[in-house]
Amino acid sequence: MCITIVLGLLSRKVAFIPLFVGDSLYAFMVYWLCRFIFFHRSFNFCFVSTLVLCFAIEFLQLVQHPLLISVRSHQLLRLLFGQGFLWSDLIAYIAGAFFAFLLDRSIHSYKKN
């Protein structure tokens, strides 16, 4: 997770790395966090849970409640909860979660063989 966080932060600082890379890494990290918490649940459950969480956070960026605005003003929380809604972020979340899902399944099938 630490490597994913560092890579995600670098994607925001290095100009030649597209911004969607950071969003994909965010979903990638959320998937592995979900697998850590729900280790006994299926791959599909963690994939769907990741998308629900990432999409919920993205759609919450459309809400301009004073509490959410104050949360977004803190630098660390802004990284977690974002600050502006983009449809392209949803696609990046799908890509990141799907890559983590495929990697997870391939690791488990390799262990079985």
Side-chain angles (χ1 to χ4, degrees), residues 9-81:
L9 291 173
L10 280 175
S11 74
R12 299 290 184 211
K13 301 292 182 193
V14 180
F16 66 86
I17 299 176
L19 289 177
F20 73 86
V21 171
D23 296 318
S24 296
L25 288 170
Y26 181 81
F28 187 87
M29 181 187 68
V30 169
Y31 178 87
W32 291 108
L33 182 63
C34 182
R35 285 295 288 161
F36 178 75
I37 294 170
F38 302 110
F39 61 90
H40 60 283
R41 300 299 297 259
S42 70
F43 302 118
N44 293 338
F45 175 85
C46 289
F47 176 71
V48 171
S49 297
T50 298
L51 292 181
V52 167
L53 180 64
C54 290
F55 278 39
I57 289 171
E58 190 67 24
F59 281 107
L60 271 175
Q61 293 172 17
L62 293 170
V63 178
Q64 296 303 316
H65 188 273
L67 176 64
L68 293 174
I69 292 171
S70 67
V71 165
R72 292 181 197 122
S73 67
H74 188 274
Q75 187 175 11
L76 178 62
L77 295 176
R78 188 178 327 126
L79 288 172
L80 290 174
F81 297 110

